[in-house]
């Protein structure tokens, strides 16, 4: 008689905890309401610094284990001092990270052990838009974004592709980039 | 007789270089075509790491002065190990950074000296969407994002508000969040 044991973690994902969390949220939807935040301070020129620490979720105020400080700037060619990535590069990182987390979770839930996941994200932008130099035909943001995933694991190609596709379907960042999101901008002066 | 000198930098923005760049792009639109990139590697669970370094712009391959390494993860409450901000928090940082860079540039171009710019960004998300637990009514991404700017400088309230409004109008990240952007996802396996 052979005994099959389920690993407590697959792909580094605690699947028992994942399924328990899903069950808890099914029982009480209010747990699912989150609010994330960033605090940003202008430094000089196009250089700014954001701090990410507190958020709301599971009906309580929470904080990350560590505060994260992020620098953003424009490169010299775009009249900045290059103290960090551009704001639009952070969008590409966010997209890759969201899809990758989904791939790991979904593969774990489906019993697939991954050995490697990497991705390259490219975004094309024509700065005629942000400089106000187009006749209105060039948008400010990316004209298109391409993600290329390399995925390896103990499953056939069709299964691995289906995992990436499911991650795309359930990705928060993919949704925000491909669909309109309401954004309000308030100003307090003095 | 008083002599008024123009500062070479206002708000840390090299305005002479800014106007020269705009003129150069007007003369040759090809300079305005940029491609930004991120390379991401899965670490474990929902933890991934992106590297941002090279980009294309002004008709040539370029690199930032320094490579930036960014960690992303889910917090414990969302079944991650909290090795960094969530992907959706990076979106909030990107939005604040883009709007802030615009405020500094536009204020400089309009001759306004800023003394302080800070902002708070909040995004509401219901994870019923990404967990596939809604009946299709709850989206995966943010249901709404709010930016609150605090701006101080040597101009009246109306002028400062108009600077933020012009930054919003010309922001690449605001555009990507509020309007649909085409995103393709390719998969290479094995």
């Amino acid at each position: 008689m052979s005994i099959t044991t389920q690993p407590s973690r697959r792909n580094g994902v605690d699947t028992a905890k994942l399924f328990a969390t899903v069950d808890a949220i099914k029982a009480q939807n209010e747990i699912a309401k989150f609010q994330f935040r960033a605090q940003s301070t202008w430094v000089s020129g196009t250089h700014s610094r954001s701090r990410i620490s507190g958020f709301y979720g599971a009906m309580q105020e929470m904080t990350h284990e560590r505060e994260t400080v992020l620098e953003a700037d424009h490169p010299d060619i775009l009249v900045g001092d290059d103290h960090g990535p551009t704001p639009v590069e952070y969008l590409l990182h966010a997209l890759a990270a969201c899809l990758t987390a989904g791939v790991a979770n979904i593969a774990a839930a489906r019993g697939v052990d991954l050995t490697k996941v990497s991705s390259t994200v490219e975004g094309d932008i024509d700065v005629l838009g942000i400089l106000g130099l187009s006749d209105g035909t060039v948008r400010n943001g990316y004209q298109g974004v391409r993600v290329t995933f390399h995925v390896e694991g103990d499953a056939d190609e069709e299964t691995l592709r289906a995992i990436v596709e499911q991650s795309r379907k359930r990705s928060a960042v993919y949704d925000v980039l491909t669909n309109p999101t309401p954004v309000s901008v308030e100003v307090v002066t003095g």
Side-chain angles (χ1 to χ4, degrees), chain A:
Chain A
M1 186 179 110
S2 75
I3 297 172
T4 305
T5 56
Q6 291 288 338
S8 64
R9 286 208 167 209
R10 191 188 296 272
N11 303 326
V13 176
D14 186 336
T15 48
K17 186 175 172 183
L18 181 60
F19 294 135
T21 300
V22 169
D23 286 341
I25 289 175
K26 271 183 191 166
Q28 190 169 11
N29 286 358
E30 191 69 17
I31 298 173
K33 291 188 163 62
F34 278 70
Q35 181 184 90
F36 290 108
R37 303 165 192 146
Q39 269 82 40
S40 172
T41 306
W42 173 56
V43 181
S44 179
T46 51
H47 180 204
S48 68
R49 183 176 293 136
S50 290
R51 292 173 187 278
I52 293 174
S53 176
F55 61 95
Y56 175 89
M59 304 189 289
Q60 60 197 294
E61 285 296 320
M62 309 196 80
T63 54
H64 285 290
E65 280 184 28
R66 287 167 297 280
E67 178 182 69
T68 298
V69 179
L70 301 167
E71 311 284 336
D73 202 351
H74 288 188
D76 180 69
I77 190 79
L78 290 172
V79 202
D81 288 325
D82 208 7
H83 288 294
T86 59
V88 289
E89 287 170 302
Y90 279 102
L91 296 181
L92 306 182
H93 157 62
L95 179 61
C98 194
L99 292 170
T100 300
V103 165
N105 272 341
I106 293 160
R110 295 184 179 183
V112 172
D113 286 303
L114 299 171
T115 49
K116 185 188 171 186
V117 183
S118 65
S119 61
T120 301
V121 191
E122 301 172 332
D124 296 321
I125 190 167
D126 186 331
V127 299
L128 286 179
I130 60 174
L131 292 173
L133 296 177
S134 95
D135 53 4
T137 56
V138 178
R139 66 180 294 179
N140 297 327
Y142 284 124
Q143 297 175 312
V145 173
R146 290 174 302 283
V147 186
T148 306
F149 263 98
H150 291 253
V151 182
E152 296 177 23
D154 69 347
D156 61 22
E157 182 177 334
E158 189 183 353
T159 303
L160 295 175
R161 286 181 179 278
I163 289 168
V164 176
E165 173 57 14
Q166 182 62 20
S167 176
R168 187 193 63 73
K169 273 192 192 164
R170 285 282 155 240
S171 166
V173 174
Y174 180 87
D175 176 21
V176 170
L177 268 53
T178 57
N179 297 301
T181 300
V183 177
S184 70
V185 181
E186 300 291 319
V187 183
V188 178
T189 61

